[in-house]
Amino acid sequence: MCEHIEDFHRTVLMLGALALYAEMPGADDAFIDTIGPSLAASLPEPAPGVFPPGYDPIGGTDCGGA
């Protein structure tokens, strides 16, 4: 497997583990707020066409029913 693909998979796994950790009682919110965006920022930009035109990850999508 290509090294960049391994890095991508590793980062996605760490984001998943962080999401699980965030749901645990006593999770450190400052840690989550610091590490989460840092991990997400290390992911590559999605390839063109992955998301529909007008997609807004914060406000939703312009596509009906989505």
Side-chain angles (χ1 to χ4, degrees), residues 18-64:
L18 184 65
L20 290 173
Y21 171 72
E23 297 298 319
M24 294 177 58
D28 183 347
D29 290 332
F31 175 79
I32 296 163
D33 291 342
T34 301
I35 299 301
S38 298
L39 284 172
S42 71
L43 292 172
E45 290 291 321
V50 171
F51 295 109
Y55 177 79
D56 178 4
I58 304 300
T61 180
D62 291 339
C63 297

Side-chain angles (χ1 to χ4, degrees), residues 1-12:
M1 192 179 294
C2 297
E3 185 176 320
H4 68 280
I5 297 296
E6 291 173 4
D7 289 344
F8 175 80
H9 287 185
R10 189 177 307 114
T11 302
V12 170

